DNA sequence: AAATAAATTTAGGCAAAGCTAAAAATAAAT
DNA sequence: ATTTATTTTTAGCTTTGCCTAAATTTATTT
């Protein structure tokens, strides 16, 4: 049985490992968890003892298959609860993260599987991130940044890279949400601003915006 | 902000205080929480410091109005989550307690009020216990033990005194649930067994059963 | 009213998870 | 290839919440 804190470390290592081939550094974990490097070292030793991570002094850590599965189950819970909060309790997508951060630690397999069924076995959370199923499998979404989309090619908004409240609220204000039809009309060479079409109306946004929106074509 | 453990103590003191005019003893708390008396004393001092309970050495404790409100909010969360588990996720009423025990500690007022709305502002949990509203008010149910009900008077089953799994499962087996119409037909003087009518069929039960079922008359 | 029993509190410790400050290892720069 | 800087680890301390064992207070007997 994992403690609250152990679960947070596993989850963090999982997130930091995405698209990373080498081990995760002590400092990277400390920064993400907002704790001190020495505390991370302590926990790393503990997780290593429990064979949830592979660890060599000074060499960073990687999840073992057991640790990976545990991490995925936490992510599964987090994202299912987010779906619940948005779809059933009408939270906005920028309000759910902190609450889900607590709910993800509730220990009951029965609960999470029943919740999954209640929600209709969703495969993505409200930010467009994939939800691992009860075996840990998650369908990888064919996503790209809006900034990488060719001009005049239409796509569908499927997620965000930065999921800070500020950004999510900005998107709400601009009426950009998951499923919006989106297309780059032109890029202004002078200031790198983007003229884009959302569903049926046009707006101008900065490069920072298009660099943080995920889309999929067709 | 209260810790997980502080919340459990407050909740326990609240439950033990029901229908009690004098203070709650250290040992009573220890027994309910399944911890040692010395640990209880430690926590009592802490809660006293925080003005959540009134405490004089060796004299037991009572909740202050602040402590009472905090306790009610925890009970509110516990019972709302129980309703959710039973009504939305199809748990049986004997399976919900342990999970609700964890869920009750999730800290978000917004969450609990939205959950309340989602469930349609229920006033009772699946065991027939009243749910405090967001101000802490709970409608007192006019309930009595089935054993106190006069013979041949019909009543409605509205709750249980003992909410152990064993008892709840027994009730399921006997098809006794909240809302069942119930009536004592006769009491066998020889062995104190009760012949009772549930909805439309008759069964015989022991004294222990009628001592643990709450009913209300019309 | 003593004496015994039971309940409660104190004193001293332990494990988890954090911290600071100092030491050690690795990486970067001259 | 040293020196300097950065990263990581170690050592030792803190708090929370629990524990055991001993001391103290209250309750119950005789």
């Amino acid at each position: 049985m994992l403690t609250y804190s152990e679960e947070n470390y596993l989850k963090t290592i999982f997130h930091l490992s995405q698209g990373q081939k080498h081990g995760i550094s002590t400092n990277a974990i400390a920064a993400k968890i907002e704790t001190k490097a020495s505390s991370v070292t302590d926990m790393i030793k503990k997780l290593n003892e429990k064979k949830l991570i592979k660890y060599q002094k000074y060499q960073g850590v990687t999840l073992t298959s057991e640790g990976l599965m545990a991490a995925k189950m936490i992510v599964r819970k987090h994202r299912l609860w987010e779906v619940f909060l948005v779809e059933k309790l009408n939270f906005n997508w920028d309000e759910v993260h902190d609450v889900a951060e607590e709910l993800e630690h509730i220990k009951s397999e029965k609960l999470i599987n029943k919740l999954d069924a209640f929600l209709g076995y969703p495969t993505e959370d409200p930010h467009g991130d994939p939800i691992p199923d009860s075996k840990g499998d998650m369908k990888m979404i064919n996503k790209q940044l809006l900034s990488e989309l060719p001009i005049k090619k239409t796509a569908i908004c499927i997620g965000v890279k930065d999921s800070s409240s500020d950004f999510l609220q900005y998107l709400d204000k601009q009426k950009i949400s998951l499923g919006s039809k989106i297309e780059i009309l032109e890029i202004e060479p002078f200031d790198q601003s983007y003229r884009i079409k959302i569903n049926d109306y046009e707006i101008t946004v900065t490069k920072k915006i298009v660099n943080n929106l995920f889309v999929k074509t067709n």
Side-chain angles (χ1 to χ4, degrees), chain A:
Chain A
M1 187 88 341
L2 300 171
T3 67
Y4 194 99
S5 195
E6 287 169 341
E7 290 190 340
N8 276 334
Y9 275 86
L10 288 177
K11 182 189 59 173
T12 299
I13 295 166
F14 173 77
H15 287 314
L16 292 171
S17 300
Q18 295 306 93
Q20 208 70 42
K21 66 174 202 300
H22 45 57
I24 306 305
S25 76
T26 301
N27 266 359
I29 298 169
K32 193 75 175 267
I33 279 181
E34 297 187 287
T35 185
K36 295 300 153 83
S38 56
S39 305
V40 174
T41 302
D42 286 348
M43 182 56 87
I44 277 175
K45 286 178 181 168
K46 202 174 152 199
L47 293 175
N48 187 51
E49 281 296 311
K50 291 192 172 189
K51 298 199 193 304
L52 295 164
I53 59 177
K54 253 199 357 228
Y55 166 60
Q56 297 268 77
K57 268 190 195 175
Y58 296 99
Q59 303 311 129
V61 301
T62 52
L63 293 168
T64 62
S65 60
E66 205 190 333
L68 177 63
M69 183 56 84
K72 280 179 173 173
M73 286 304 111
I74 300 157
V75 170
R76 167 171 163 78
K77 290 196 248 177
H78 183 102
R79 293 180 178 165
L80 282 173
W81 280 117
E82 285 196 343
V83 173
F84 170 72
L85 294 173
V86 169
E87 295 202 346
K88 303 296 182 181
L89 299 195
N90 297 115
F91 274 76
N92 295 323
W93 69 344
D94 62 297
E95 302 173 312
V96 296
H97 191 267
D98 293 345
V99 179
E101 206 74 354
E102 288 190 61
L103 285 164
E104 73 189 4
H105 298 289
I106 302 292
K107 294 191 184 333
S108 166
E109 208 160 319
K110 184 161 193 174
L111 169 62
I112 206 64
N113 290 332
K114 279 180 173 278
L115 180 64
D116 196 10
F118 178 62
L119 298 173
Y121 304 103
T123 57
E124 290 173 31
D125 79 4
H127 309 107
D129 295 313
I131 301 174
D133 68 20
S134 59
K135 295 193 178 79
D137 298 331
M138 48 211 271
K139 93 168 195 305
M140 239 317 144
I141 307 159
N142 166 34
K143 67 183 176 183
Q144 63 185 142
L145 287 172
L146 178 54
S147 53
E148 295 158 350
L149 185 71
I151 290 187
K152 306 251 182 195
K153 185 148 193 221
T154 66
I156 304 291
C157 175
I158 56 164
V160 294
K161 187 168 158 200
D162 172 352
S163 60
S164 68
S165 276
D166 282 351
F167 185 49
L168 297 175
Q169 279 168 18
Y170 169 88
L171 295 177
D172 276 343
K173 210 158 54 189
Q174 300 286 8
K175 300 269 183 288
I176 301 173
S177 58
L178 293 195
S180 294
K181 200 170 64 175
I182 204 160
E183 175 187 347
I184 297 176
L185 299 173
E186 60 170 339
I187 305 172
E188 174 58 49
F190 178 62
D191 64 354
Q192 291 271 303
S193 69
Y194 285 65
R195 184 103 198 120
I196 64 176
K197 188 152 123 185
I198 307 295
N199 295 321
D200 282 319
Y201 75 109
E202 300 176 12
I203 59 174
T204 304
V205 301
T206 62
K207 184 151 181 65
K208 183 163 183 188
I209 303 303
V210 296
N211 261 332
N212 280 292
L213 268 181
F214 286 121
V215 299
K216 74 171 177 196
T217 51
N218 72 56

